[in-house]
Amino acid sequence: MAGYNDRYEVVIGLEVHVELHTRTKAFCSCPNEFGSEPNTNVCPVCMGLPGVLPVINRTVLEYALRAGLALNCEIASFSKFDRKNYYYPDLPKNYQISQYDLPLCRNGYLDVAVDGGERPGARRIGITRVHMEEDAGKLMHGEAGTDYSLVDVNRCGVPLLEIVSEPDLRTPEEARAYLEKLKAILEYIDISDCKMEEGSLRCDANISVRPVGSTVLNPKSEVKNMNSFRAVQHALAGEAERLSAILAEGGQFLLETRGWDEASGLTVQMRIKEEASDYRYFPDPDLVPLVIGPELIDRVRSELPELPAAKQQRFMANYGLPAYDAGVLTGSRALADFYEACVAAYHDQKVVSNWVMGEFLKLLKAHNLEVAASRLTPSHLVAMLKLIDQGTISGKIAKTIFEEMFLSGGRPEEIVKARGLVQISDEGELGAVVRQVLEDHPGVAEDYRNGKEKALTFLVGQVMKATRGQANPQLVNRLIKERV
Amino acid sequence: MEIYDLTAHELADLLQRGEMTSEEVTGAIFQRIHDVEPDIQAYVTITEEQAYEAARQVDGERRQGKDLPYLAGVPAGLKDVLCTRGIRTTCSSRMLEHFIPPYSATVVEKLAAAGAVFTGKLNMDEFAMGSSTENSAFFPTHNPWDLSRVPGGSSGGPAAAVAAGEAPYALGTDTGGSIRQPASLCGIVGLKPTYGLVSRYGMVAFASSLDQIGPMTKDVRDCALVLNLIAGYDPLDSTSAPGAGLGAVPDYTAFLTGEIRGLRIGVPREFFGDGLDSAVAEAVKASLGKLAGLGAVVDECSFPHAEYSVPCYYLIAPAEASSNLARYDGVHYGYRAVAENGGAYDLMEMYTNTRSQGFGAEVKRRIMLGTYALSSGYYDAYYLQALKLRTLIRDDFNRLFDQFDAIVSPTSPTPPFRLGEKSDDPLSMYLSDVYTIPVNLAGIPAISIPCGYTDGLPVGLQLMGPVFSEGTLLRIAHAFEQDTPYHQDRAPLKRGHAAVSPAGREGGDSHGRL
Amino acid sequence: MKLSMEEVEHVALLARLALSEEEKERFGAQLSSILEYADRINQLDTTRVDPTYHVLPLQNVSRLDERGATLAPDDVFQNAPDRDGSYFRVPRIL
């Protein structure tokens, strides 16, 4: 990896915005929907017409509390909404309802390990705050040369959580792992779709570098426009290199905002921050304070689902899985649920783990699919495992069947039948093939007779080839040994 | 008396008894509007057609024997800060000159449901910022008692319209005195309800933590009747008080007993100090004697933080306004500046020119002031400090209300001034709200009622009470009113200097102190 | 409290107001005198005083997550100064 690792330390903090998947917007009763016709999910309130007033959607508060508790935060007993004043055409009121000095949640943490597991090596990343705010609209820019931009108000008022980490992250890989863990938790507690490509999860990063052992915080770059976890990791790696080079050359850091350019794989300067913007925050007089009592906190906490760390521990204890397996399988709620549905109907939990972590994840990745979007069902996987146990199919054939199930959603028995993939365990039928192979390769048979073990592997391979992989391998072994 | 001189409840009685139809009453009011509007200029928009339609609707329902709300069929005017679906709502600003809201304010819906016949939208200081209605971007409104004088503001249009018989009653809004001061200057009744009693939804915001909508009427009974219609919880307004803070909204007319014996009324000496016109002071002091004569226990008291009210208000209100008025940017609605000579503005030029051309001087001045008060480095010294002063002012009131059922003061330190007299001096204009502002800061209710004249110009008495004490205030106001002739007087619509008031001059010493 | 010309210009920029030189002078002088007057609030020691954000002790006012009516397109664009199909149009954002 890059040279900055040796002499320089990278300091990264992430600011994540996540859209809550409530039915309606944060402060009005418009639908909270992605992909509607422009300017249709709109009412006087989210259009910011003269005279309108906001009323907070209580589900937004509930979701924010879930997030705060799942991220180990302290919940404020007294919280309020503030106005953040700035002019932009996607913000109809020219102020955003947000939370400033009294956020709902503070001082949380997330334990993050780069390779997904949760064991020695996991690092505790501080979460500074989680607060509620409203989203802005969308701007579309005319083609180059045109002198206008277009405004769509649909997204205005969609509820957001802003989740701010401490500058505790030390590598781009760790930043990515943090994001993946954060996404998993937000999905576990079912408050957001967390789709980076649709903008329901967005990430900005603050990054600076300093000599190892130093505690100074150098001027940071703010990196934006990263639309995948991969992009976050690559952008931060690139920016770390760039900043390290500046440090190495004794250059000057600028407090700047840089955008990630996917095509070039580089960050490019968007603007230099001359001074902090003056947002003139003040408490929104249209909204009354939030007073959060212990009963509410206890109720929300009691309704939280099992979170990844607890689930991992349970998987290790109940299913005898190694920490690594349990970590990977609980990496998303959907994957964990899939696994548990399988082991409820199948005795060997490690075998299920191998298939889910191996073939299933491989295919999901190759086809860029979420668990929920794949056509494979737990019952089909279990049925396939039982076919192997019964000797109906070989493990090798099973991989083919698995892929077919994954793609078509078919039942394994039907795939086996339709494609004639039943394992050949008939001694007479296989005996004939073995005889033919020995006749065709007399030299090799002679080698085996003389004690060359490798020759057996070759002969078995030839039988498998002749039967297109359908021969029962144990039986083939026995027949060759008998006949040679 | 002419039809246009009648109160809303007198008109309602005529309608109930079948002596007149709503269409006839509406016709009489519009005839009056056509006759006097060239002199008064109270209306920004007149909705004659819709009014007749509504009137005929009510008449039809009445003929069918339908049980109608008491004020059904009685015409009413609306300050042009209240959104009316399909009818332009301008806030007397170039910025919203052609703005047609796609929704109506909650109070407008409530009045409409009660069968109100809306005559039109009434003039005001632009975005309710002012005390004379001279800050209207369209035209100033004239005081029906003396056309060379202002009707007060910001609800000068509603006050002048009611005083001149152009509307039996109207809804105004009050952020620092904008209902009470013009009511005082035009010789009518104006009530600023407890913050949260009346929904603000659909009232174009000036200063959200201070704004309230209230009735402007010819007498106290009308005031109670209109309050009955507009008070109550609104789920669209987070600051709306559930159950009016009382469990349920009472029938405010039930308080109009004429009986105030034993009620304790406080008179803060700070409200009778420098700056108070001596004739106004005389009229108010004479009123104190009348209240005592009715059996109230009137006592002097102290309001120690009175002098901080105006500075406190002139930091809080502009700060909130600077944010509330940020939305007028030419993007989604309202005025947008266009570059001259076919050129094109960039975004920043569009914003700044739109706002500079769309807003008048007073609005710009307050936006500047409020922006400054909230800006980095000044927030604590101005905005936060003002909010702390607000606490001290509330505490003053709370202490007084331990001893008194109501507090009394002049509504305005002066009688109506001449058009143009104060328009070059913002600070002296701001001081005309010195007695009304503390009420908004504390969120308490207050009513202004006519209490006499000076040189033929009306003088108003302000009664203030603890939160949700509207009933008590109406009770006192009503008892006072029934004991005095002023509510029966009508403005003479005189040009120039009015020589003698209809009720004759009030006596008293010439010294403006209590 | 005398506002400098720079402060007046900074505040005008924050408030998105284009002021003429004459307006800057006039507003600067007026704001200075208003602020000078308002500054009397700083004569009081308020270290032990809590600010009043709301006059009524309301808290936790919220609504159910239930859908309501949206505006018809004609209403959305009725007052639009400029539009392009189903979008509002503004000068290009750089």
Side-chain angles (χ1 to χ4, degrees):
Chain A
M1 191 64 218
Y4 61 77
N5 272 343
D6 311 334
R7 281 179 297 155
Y8 300 132
E9 179 175 54
V10 184
V11 179
I12 299 169
L14 295 182
E15 206 178 281
V16 171
H17 285 92
V18 59
E19 286 181 353
L20 302 178
H21 62 203
T22 50
R23 297 180 63 217
T24 63
K25 293 185 179 181
F27 298 106
C28 66
S29 57
C30 282
N32 173 14
E33 270 172 10
F34 179 80
S36 302
E37 287 294 304
N39 293 305
T40 54
N41 295 340
V42 175
C43 76
V45 176
C46 54
M47 245 189 106
L49 289 185
V52 297
L53 297 170
V55 183
I56 181 70
N57 177 346
R58 70 182 60 165
T59 304
V60 172
L61 177 62
E62 174 108 14
Y63 283 7
L65 287 172
R66 273 194 216 169
L69 292 171
L71 297 172
N72 311 295
C73 291
E74 297 160 13
I75 306 297
S77 57
F78 182 94
S79 185
K80 64 181 170 70
F81 289 103
D82 301 280
R83 293 186 185 178
K84 179 180 184 180
N85 294 285
Y86 66 96
Y87 284 82
Y88 214 64
D90 63 5
L91 194 66
K93 302 185 297 296
N94 285 321
Y95 64 80
Q96 179 191 33
I97 303 175
S98 181
Q99 297 196 277
Y100 181 50
D101 55 335
L102 296 173
L104 187 67
C105 322
R106 292 184 205 254
N107 298 332
Y109 62 85
L110 199 54
D111 289 328
V112 172
V114 169
D115 54 5
E118 192 144 345
R119 47 166 185 273
R123 291 214 316 124
R124 181 154 289 187
I125 305 303
I127 291 182
T128 316
R129 58 187 281 155
V130 178
H131 76 246
M132 300 174 278
E133 60 186 26
E134 57 177 344
D135 209 345
K138 277 186 181 160
L139 289 171
M140 260 125 308
H141 305 294
E143 289 161 30
T146 57
D147 57 358
Y148 58 85
S149 298
L150 302 174
V151 186
D152 174 8
V153 183
N154 277 349
R155 203 176 64 184
C156 290
V158 164
L160 290 178
L161 291 186
E162 180 174 315
I163 302 166
V164 183
S165 88
E166 290 288 303
D168 288 347
L169 297 158
R170 289 292 171 269
T171 65
E173 295 75 21
E174 197 168 60
R176 178 176 183 163
Y178 166 88
L179 281 176
E180 284 171 348
K181 187 72 180 282
L182 181 61
K183 176 178 187 245
I185 287 177
L186 297 174
E187 285 176 344
Y188 264 72
I189 60 175
D190 195 22
I191 63 170
S192 173
D193 299 333
C194 293
K195 290 181 181 164
M196 270 190 115
E197 67 280 12
E198 287 183 4
S200 59
L201 191 152
R202 311 196 276 270
C203 176
D204 297 331
N206 289 312
I207 175 169
S208 62
V209 296
R210 62 189 175 194
V212 168
S214 163
T215 54
V216 298
L217 279 177
N218 280 317
K220 63 197 179 187
S221 299
E222 190 182 350
V223 187
K224 292 180 174 289
N225 288 354
M226 303 169 289
N227 49 20
S228 68
F229 289 170
R230 199 183 130 271
V232 171
Q233 185 182 338
H234 288 190
L236 289 174
E239 189 61 12
E241 286 284 4
R242 197 185 67 84
L243 293 171
S244 300
I246 292 174
L247 194 57
E249 290 158 14
Q252 278 285 311
F253 291 113
L254 299 170
L255 200 57
E256 60 185 318
T257 300
R258 301 182 68 86
W260 166 244
D261 183 47
E262 187 79 45
S264 67
L266 295 170
T267 65
V268 288
Q269 187 179 80
M270 293 167 78
R271 58 182 175 269
I272 296 174
K273 289 200 169 176
E274 281 152 3
E275 53 184 314
S277 307
D278 192 343
Y279 291 122
R280 289 157 285 134
Y281 281 102
F282 74 105
D284 193 328
D286 289 332
L287 290 158
V288 300
L290 302 169
V291 177
I292 313 295
E295 309 79 28
L296 177 60
I297 294 173
D298 289 347
R299 205 256 298 148
V300 174
R301 195 194 305 277
S302 71
E303 288 169 10
L304 281 182
E306 185 183 35
L307 295 173
K311 205 183 275 285
Q312 184 186 13
Q313 291 302 317
R314 184 168 62 79
F315 276 26
M316 290 162 66
N318 288 10
Y319 307 134
L321 296 177
Y324 179 78
D325 288 35
V328 172
L329 291 173
T330 57
S332 84
R333 187 174 178 175
L335 191 67
D337 288 348
F338 186 96
Y339 174 79
E340 290 215 278
C342 294
V343 296
Y346 190 76
H347 64 284
D348 192 333
Q349 292 109 347
K350 178 62 181 152
V351 165
V352 175
S353 169
N354 290 345
W355 278 96
V356 173
M357 285 174 44
E359 290 304 299
F360 191 32
L361 285 185
K362 193 177 85 186
L363 287 169
L364 286 172
K365 196 174 177 190
H367 292 88
N368 197 23
L369 285 177
E370 300 283 335
V371 173
S374 91
R375 310 187 67 178
L376 182 74
T377 69
S379 68
H380 291 178
L381 174 55
V382 168
M384 188 200 82
L385 295 176
K386 288 181 176 165
L387 290 178
I388 300 173
D389 293 346
Q390 290 155 10
T392 311
I393 56 172
S394 66
K396 189 166 157 63
I397 291 289
K399 288 192 178 178
T400 311
I401 293 169
F402 188 94
E403 184 162 7
E404 175 113 12
M405 291 194 301
F406 179 89
L407 295 173
S408 72
R411 292 196 59 81
E413 302 85 344
E414 287 158 11
I415 295 167
V416 166
K417 198 184 282 176
R419 297 190 41 187
L421 294 172
V422 181
Q423 182 166 261
I424 303 167
S425 300
D426 182 281
E427 268 202 53
E429 193 181 342
L430 276 186
V433 180
V434 168
R435 195 179 315 118
Q436 187 61 48
V437 166
L438 293 178
E439 276 173 24
D440 292 350
H441 304 282
V444 182
E446 186 60 32
D447 287 350
Y448 182 55
R449 230 174 265 123
N450 294 335
K452 255 189 161 176
E453 282 297 321
K454 259 190 169 174
L456 177 63
T457 311
F458 175 80
L459 293 170
V460 172
Q462 290 303 307
V463 175
M464 295 308 280
K465 194 176 167 190
T467 59
R468 288 181 298 141
Q470 285 171 261
N472 179 331
Q474 283 84 38
L475 190 56
V476 174
N477 261 296
R478 181 163 65 76
L479 290 175
I480 293 174
K481 284 178 184 167
E482 282 171 12
R483 308 220 171 172
V484 173
Chain B
M1 271 203 179
E2 304 285 343
I3 293 301
Y4 59 75
D5 281 331
L6 299 180
T7 62
H9 62 87
E10 287 166 339
L11 292 170
D13 288 340
L14 285 178
L15 294 173
Q16 301 240 303
R17 291 199 299 264
E19 290 173 30
M20 281 190 91
T21 63
S22 174
E23 189 170 358
E24 286 164 350
V25 170
T26 304
I29 297 299
F30 278 109
Q31 185 56 52
R32 178 67 170 173
I33 291 173
H34 295 309
D35 288 347
V36 305
E37 188 57 11
D39 285 337
I40 305 290
Q41 301 198 78
Y43 281 89
V44 172
T45 304
I46 296 173
T47 53
E48 196 163 352
E49 240 175 79
Q50 294 97 319
Y52 280 118
E53 202 175 303
R56 284 191 285 265
Q57 167 94 19
V58 171
D59 287 338
E61 289 174 0
R62 202 184 294 281
R63 273 196 303 277
Q64 289 162 16
K66 209 174 155 191
D67 193 17
L68 295 173
Y70 181 58
L71 291 181
V74 177
L78 298 170
K79 187 177 180 181
D80 207 14
V81 73
L82 301 172
C83 284
T84 41
R85 178 175 170 85
I87 296 164
R88 72 174 183 152
T89 299
T90 68
C91 293
S92 290
S93 178
R94 290 273 167 238
M95 191 61 93
L96 293 178
E97 188 171 358
H98 306 291
F99 174 68
I100 297 176
Y103 78 106
S104 287
T106 297
V107 289
V108 173
E109 299 277 14
K110 285 185 166 191
L111 284 192
V117 171
F118 296 121
T119 51
K121 307 299 291 289
L122 294 158
N123 201 21
M124 54 189 280
D125 285 299
E126 182 178 9
F127 284 103
M129 296 179 187
S131 309
S132 69
T133 314
E134 292 167 289
N135 293 332
S136 167
F138 307 133
F139 43 77
T141 296
H142 299 260
N143 191 315
W145 295 85
D146 178 343
L147 297 173
S148 68
R149 292 177 190 267
V150 302
S154 65
S155 308
V162 172
E166 294 187 85
Y169 72 94
L171 293 187
T173 63
D174 190 315
T175 306
S178 281
I179 285 174
R180 293 158 288 155
Q181 185 258 16
S184 168
L185 269 48
C186 290
I188 63 165
V189 175
L191 173 75
K192 198 268 328 165
T194 303
Y195 185 83
L197 180 65
V198 179
S199 167
R200 295 185 294 118
Y201 188 79
M203 167 194 176
V204 180
F206 161 15
S208 312
S209 76
L210 302 161
D211 294 340
Q212 265 291 288
I213 300 165
M216 302 181 76
T217 60
K218 288 176 177 164
D219 70 5
V220 174
R221 178 165 297 277
D222 277 2
C223 188
L225 287 166
V226 176
L227 187 61
N228 279 349
L229 296 180
I230 62 174
Y233 176 70
D234 180 5
L236 297 177
D237 178 355
S238 304
T239 62
S240 163
L246 299 163
V249 179
D251 173 5
Y252 289 104
T253 61
F255 291 91
L256 310 183
T257 59
E259 178 54 65
I260 59 167
R261 264 177 297 183
L263 282 182
R264 300 156 303 166
I265 296 176
V267 186
R269 66 182 71 88
E270 292 82 359
F271 286 16
F272 290 82
D274 289 340
L276 176 60
D277 179 272
S278 61
V280 170
E282 281 167 35
V284 171
K285 274 184 277 180
S287 306
L288 300 177
K290 291 196 181 88
L291 288 169
L294 289 163
V297 181
V298 181
D299 258 323
E300 197 178 301
C301 62
S302 174
F303 192 93
H305 293 99
E307 65 169 307
Y308 300 104
S309 296
V310 174
C312 178
Y313 174 85
Y314 277 96
L315 292 168
I316 293 171
E320 293 181 9
S322 72
S323 175
N324 285 332
L325 272 65
R327 70 191 64 199
Y328 306 108
D329 62 359
V331 174
H332 300 97
Y333 50 81
Y335 179 76
R336 177 189 288 194
V338 177
E340 285 167 30
N341 311 323
Y345 282 144
D346 66 24
L347 184 68
M348 180 63 97
E349 290 167 337
M350 192 279 275
Y351 278 157
T352 58
N353 285 291
T354 292
R355 290 169 61 76
S356 293
Q357 294 166 24
F359 290 138
E362 182 61 27
V363 173
K364 284 189 258 192
R365 190 153 43 230
R366 296 207 201 181
I367 289 174
M368 294 281 287
L369 181 56
T371 303
Y372 184 79
L374 288 176
S375 66
S376 170
Y378 298 101
Y379 180 91
D380 286 357
Y382 289 118
Y383 188 67
L384 188 64
Q385 179 71 358
L387 292 180
K388 289 178 168 186
L389 264 291
R390 194 172 181 181
T391 304
L392 296 177
I393 289 161
R394 281 180 76 198
D395 292 348
D396 280 2
F397 273 118
N398 287 337
R399 268 192 298 276
L400 288 175
F401 291 132
D402 286 340
Q403 298 172 53
F404 298 104
D405 297 297
I407 305 293
V408 68
S409 78
T411 307
S412 162
T414 65
F417 41 93
R418 291 183 190 284
L419 282 134
E421 191 178 321
K422 296 189 181 182
S423 44
D424 289 337
D425 184 358
L427 201 48
S428 94
M429 186 76 92
Y430 295 172
L431 288 170
S432 61
D433 295 327
V434 62
Y435 306 133
T436 48
I437 277 173
V439 165
N440 300 78
L441 291 172
I444 59 172
I447 190 169
S448 176
I449 50 173
C451 74
Y453 301 89
T454 163
D455 281 343
L457 298 168
V459 176
L461 177 76
Q462 176 175 236
L463 293 161
M464 303 161 257
V467 289
F468 302 114
S469 69
E470 280 80 0
T472 306
L473 295 182
L474 289 164
R475 178 177 159 198
I476 301 170
H478 176 253
F480 178 86
E481 174 189 271
Q482 295 304 309
D483 197 47
T484 55
Y486 316 117
H487 65 291
Q488 288 161 341
D489 298 336
R490 294 293 177 260
L493 268 73
K494 282 189 177 158
R495 290 179 191 281
H497 194 74
V500 181
S501 77
R505 282 213 42 184
E506 298 293 318
D509 66 36
S510 59
H511 197 258
R513 288 166 196 277
L514 185 69
Chain C
M1 193 66 233
K2 177 84 178 78
L3 260 68
S4 69
M5 189 53 91
E6 275 174 3
E7 282 178 304
V8 173
E9 285 171 355
H10 176 65
V11 172
L13 176 66
L14 283 177
R16 297 294 185 270
L17 291 168
L19 301 183
S20 65
E21 290 306 311
E22 184 272 326
E23 280 179 311
K24 286 180 202 167
E25 290 284 351
R26 183 156 46 89
F27 283 157
Q30 287 171 338
L31 292 185
S32 298
S33 74
I34 294 166
L35 287 168
E36 190 180 349
Y37 170 71
D39 218 20
R40 67 174 63 186
I41 66 169
N42 285 307
Q43 296 164 355
L44 291 178
D45 178 8
T46 54
T47 41
R48 287 158 177 270
V49 181
D50 288 329
T52 293
Y53 296 111
H54 292 275
V55 290
L56 294 182
L58 296 173
Q59 59 192 44
N60 298 352
V61 177
S62 61
R63 61 176 186 85
L64 292 173
D65 189 15
E66 286 170 0
R67 287 188 185 178
T70 53
L71 285 175
D74 284 352
D75 284 338
V76 171
F77 291 105
Q78 170 158 29
N79 296 290
D82 192 11
R83 68 185 279 194
D84 184 344
S86 51
Y87 292 93
F88 295 94
R89 196 156 86 157
V90 295
R92 190 179 181 87
I93 297 136
L94 301 172

